[in-house]
Amino acid sequence: MENMIEVISLEKIFGKKQALNNVSFQVKKGETFGFLGPSGSGKTTTIKILTGQMRPTAGTAKVFGEPVSKLNTPEYRKRFGVVTDNSGLYARLTIYDNLKLYADLYGTSLQRIDEALEAVNLGSEKKTQVAKLSKGMTQRVLLARTLLHKPELLFLDEPTSALDPANSKHIHNGLKELNRQGTTIFLTTHDMEEADHLCSQVAFLNKGVVQLLDEPKQLKKQYREEVIGLELKDGRELELPLQSSSAEEIQQYISREMVERIYTKEPTLGDIFVEVTGRELV
Amino acid sequence: MTFSVKRFMAIFQKDLKDLYRNMYVSSTALMPLIFAVIYGRMDNVTIEMHLFVISMSLALVGTFLQCAMIAEEKEKNTLRGLMLSPATLTEILSGKSAVTILITVIVTGISMFIMDFSFSGRIGLMAGIVLSLIFFIALGTWMGLITRSVLEASVYILPVMFIFGMGNMFIMFAEQYAFLQILEYTPGLQLQEIVELEDAGAGFGELWKPFAIIGAWAAAMVVLAAVTFKKRMMD
């Protein structure tokens, strides 16, 4: 499958601080790739390099098969979209006026404004002045702005960090739909549930180093504890090996109607991150 | 290099709409009009007074408006959005400059109307104003790029206003303070030179020096603004 992003031995040094150290990964067409790490781990630096806003110190970064230095043309910029945590809107203008500017810049029809606003659950707010929006609504307008031109590749830097659970879910569904339609998504987040829900592949970035890269399902399989947990009605909790030999014992508890709950001990991506890096995701 | 009229117009319309709602910045455009009303009520309005108000319009409206628009785009993180869109450097800067040019021309025109000044037959002066406007807008662009907020831009505009906007007034003290002689090379004083030469019946061939000086200011500032903008595109 075609690579949308190809990063080989990428390095970025700010003064004496090494922000990225020998980072390598590929993002295939149609994939939702999660770049996970705590604040200051190098996620935003990577997005800046991949979108041509920053030059790497060493290594290769290619987007659409071309070096990122070639991304500074209108033709390339029409093919990708970016939402970062410091993207801004024109506060004195309405949501519609903000989106109309970008619809004109990208050469898309004005009808797309309504469609993009519907996708972020803001269809009825288009005449509202941006200055009157909450942080979460502003974030949704920024997402709508990025969806206007249906980019082939979408860079999202913490897209739901300011949103409540209901709106996060709405955005997640919208992103899944966009991905189904063929958009490749490069997502940075420290929300492991979000990554688990959306990403087909994740990379753990810690202090500028990619420490793990795999499918969430594979990671959970690799790091899970091979036990079955039983919570009994008398309050006791038992852990039995995930083997056929445990079946008889479990059956006995069930037949005596002693079982409150049965569960497997599958780690979350957050648990795996802590185990691999020794750091919490904050 | 591509230039899209649609993208240029999109930026122009957005900035015009935004400026209309920005009372803090747009009210600055009233200053030359206030001076025009004051001077216009005098019995004897000299050409120096006209040129003072013209220079004031160019510095205060041309430079400050452009500077404040760009500084605010940086302050609110909207400039990065434009830079990541398909709009090119030329489209972004020309779209913004078109708004500044429009308002500067309107303010200068109304000011001169209030002062009962006619541009009729003053082709040299008009050409000089157009060339100066390029300098003042490029200066505003550069200042907008190096300042971090509209508030900072409001402070930075003060020396520009004194040197370039009020140079025609301060030159009177050049005999007492020798360092003020440098003001003779400012675009405002060169406009005065053009008017004096025109009034003395000089042809275009004799006007080359003031035009060359204003042209040099404009060229240097355009290059400085373009280089700074390109640098700002990268973190």
Side-chain angles (χ1 to χ4, degrees), chain A residues 48 51-55 74 77-78 86-90 92-93 97 100-102 104-106 145, chain B residues 7 10 14 17-18 21-22 72-73 76-78 80-88 233-235:
Chain A
K48 283 190 171 177
T51 52
Q53 299 177 67
M54 192 183 272
R55 286 192 189 93
R77 288 192 197 151
K78 279 184 181 177
N86 63 0
S87 299
L89 294 165
Y90 298 99
R92 284 181 291 270
L93 302 184
D97 285 337
K100 185 182 177 298
L101 166 68
Y102 278 83
D104 288 341
L105 293 179
Y106 281 99
R145 188 178 86 182
Chain B
R7 290 197 288 263
K14 181 273 294 175
K17 211 177 262 187
D18 198 31
R21 294 177 170 94
N22 187 352
E72 191 176 28
E73 292 256 18
K76 303 280 164 64
N77 291 317
T78 48
R80 183 66 69 179
L82 289 181
M83 287 169 167
L84 286 169
S85 79
T88 62
M233 286 179 85
M234 286 281 177
D235 278 338

Side-chain angles (χ1 to χ4, degrees), chain A:
Chain A
M1 203 188 285
E2 185 188 335
N3 279 334
M4 286 295 253
I5 301 174
E6 195 176 355
V7 171
I8 304 164
S9 306
L10 199 65
E11 302 216 0
K12 181 68 191 178
I13 299 168
F14 297 108
K16 287 179 182 172
K17 190 184 177 238
Q18 182 134 23
L20 295 175
N21 185 4
N22 198 26
V23 170
S24 299
F25 62 87
Q26 285 94 41
V27 180
K28 297 204 175 345
K29 192 175 181 178
E31 202 171 43
T32 297
F33 186 92
F35 212 50
L36 318 179
S39 303
S41 57
K43 303 188 298 287
T44 304
T45 302
T46 307
I47 282 198
K48 283 190 171 177
I49 291 172
L50 292 175
T51 52
Q53 299 177 67
M54 192 183 272
R55 286 192 189 93
T57 307
T60 310
K62 287 183 177 179
V63 174
F64 306 124
E66 295 283 351
V68 285
S69 56
K70 290 194 174 176
L71 285 176
N72 288 329
T73 65
E75 290 69 34
Y76 274 116
R77 288 192 197 151
K78 279 184 181 177
R79 296 176 67 186
F80 70 88
V82 192
V83 177
T84 67
D85 54 352
N86 63 0
S87 299
L89 294 165
Y90 298 99
R92 284 181 291 270
L93 302 184
T94 62
I95 292 177
Y96 181 84
D97 285 337
N98 269 276
L99 296 193
K100 185 182 177 298
L101 166 68
Y102 278 83
D104 288 341
L105 293 179
Y106 281 99
T108 58
S109 73
L110 296 181
Q111 193 195 327
R112 277 293 300 154
I113 295 174
D114 292 323
E115 291 169 11
L117 285 174
E118 284 302 328
V120 296
N121 212 11
L122 281 174
S124 57
E125 299 283 347
K126 66 178 180 180
K127 298 282 179 205
T128 307
Q129 196 186 359
V130 165
K132 292 175 183 161
L133 301 179
S134 67
K135 199 178 174 199
M137 285 168 95
T138 306
Q139 187 77 350
R140 281 147 68 195
V141 178
L142 285 167
L143 265 169
R145 188 178 86 182
T146 317
L147 303 180
L148 279 174
H149 63 293
K150 293 186 176 173
E152 288 172 55
L153 175 59
L154 192 54
F155 292 96
L156 300 172
D157 195 359
E158 308 275 359
T160 57
S161 57
L163 303 185
D164 57 68
N167 278 309
S168 290
K169 194 178 171 193
H170 194 86
I171 297 294
H172 289 163
N173 292 340
L175 291 176
K176 277 194 154 186
E177 180 54 32
L178 202 67
N179 182 242
R180 254 194 299 276
Q181 288 170 13
T183 299
T184 306
I185 299 173
F186 183 91
L187 170 85
T188 74
T189 183
H190 60 253
D191 180 344
M192 290 293 158
E193 266 185 56
E194 179 173 76
D196 199 7
H197 185 60
L198 295 174
C199 301
S200 44
Q201 198 177 187
V202 292
F204 286 175
L205 188 71
N206 184 37
K207 294 176 182 168
V209 179
V210 172
Q211 293 200 306
L212 206 61
L213 198 161
D214 212 331
E215 293 172 24
K217 209 161 75 178
Q218 287 302 322
L219 285 175
K220 284 196 270 191
K221 202 170 156 187
Q222 192 184 332
Y223 283 87
R224 80 177 173 202
E225 285 182 53
E226 298 285 319
V227 294
I228 294 180
L230 267 75
E231 193 182 314
L232 302 181
K233 286 180 178 171
D234 60 11
R236 280 185 298 153
E237 281 203 31
L238 302 174
E239 283 185 2
L240 303 171
L242 185 62
Q243 291 166 358
S244 53
S245 58
S246 304
E248 199 180 324
E249 196 177 341
I250 293 169
Q251 199 181 358
Q252 281 179 8
Y253 284 115
I254 293 172
S255 59
R256 285 186 221 148
E257 294 185 348
M258 291 174 73
V259 178
E260 183 73 38
R261 188 168 70 96
I262 300 177
Y263 55 89
T264 54
K265 290 200 83 175
E266 197 172 62
T268 63
L269 286 180
D271 296 332
I272 301 170
F273 188 90
V274 173
E275 191 175 332
V276 172
T277 65
R279 287 180 78 186
E280 290 285 346
L281 269 158
V282 281

Side-chain angles (χ1 to χ4, degrees), chain B residues 2 10 12 18 30 48 54 56 65-67 70-71 78 80 83 85 104 107 111 147 155 165 175-176 180 195 232:
Chain B
T2 56
F12 173 75
D18 198 31
L30 293 174
E48 284 80 12
I54 289 172
M56 186 79 131
L65 231 57
Q66 185 81 353
C67 174
I70 293 174
T78 48
R80 183 66 69 179
M83 287 169 167
S85 79
T104 311
V107 169
S111 302
T147 53
V155 176
E175 280 185 16
Q176 284 168 271
L180 289 176
V195 169
R232 289 286 185 272

Side-chain angles (χ1 to χ4, degrees), chain B residues 2-15:
Chain B
T2 56
F3 186 88
S4 159
V5 176
K6 192 175 180 184
R7 290 197 288 263
F8 160 78
M9 283 306 292
I11 293 167
F12 173 75
Q13 285 169 1
K14 181 273 294 175
D15 276 329

Side-chain angles (χ1 to χ4, degrees), chain B residues 174-217:
Chain B
E175 280 185 16
Q176 284 168 271
Y177 305 101
F179 71 94
L180 289 176
Q181 282 173 4
I182 193 95
L183 293 175
E184 282 180 18
Y185 296 96
T186 57
L189 266 295
Q190 293 307 310
L191 287 178
Q192 195 166 318
E193 180 80 7
I194 290 169
V195 169
E196 283 166 7
L197 286 168
E198 263 189 334
D199 287 348
F204 264 114
E206 293 157 276
L207 293 173
W208 70 269
K209 197 178 165 194
F211 276 109
I213 292 171
I214 301 173
W217 278 105

Side-chain angles (χ1 to χ4, degrees), chain B residues 8 16 21-22 43-44 51 69 84 113 126 128 130 154 178 185 211 224 226 229:
Chain B
F8 160 78
L16 205 57
R21 294 177 170 94
N22 187 352
D43 294 334
N44 181 26
L51 290 171
M69 276 197 292
L84 286 169
F113 177 75
M126 284 196 283
V130 170
S154 314
Y185 296 96
F211 276 109
L224 187 62
F229 192 93

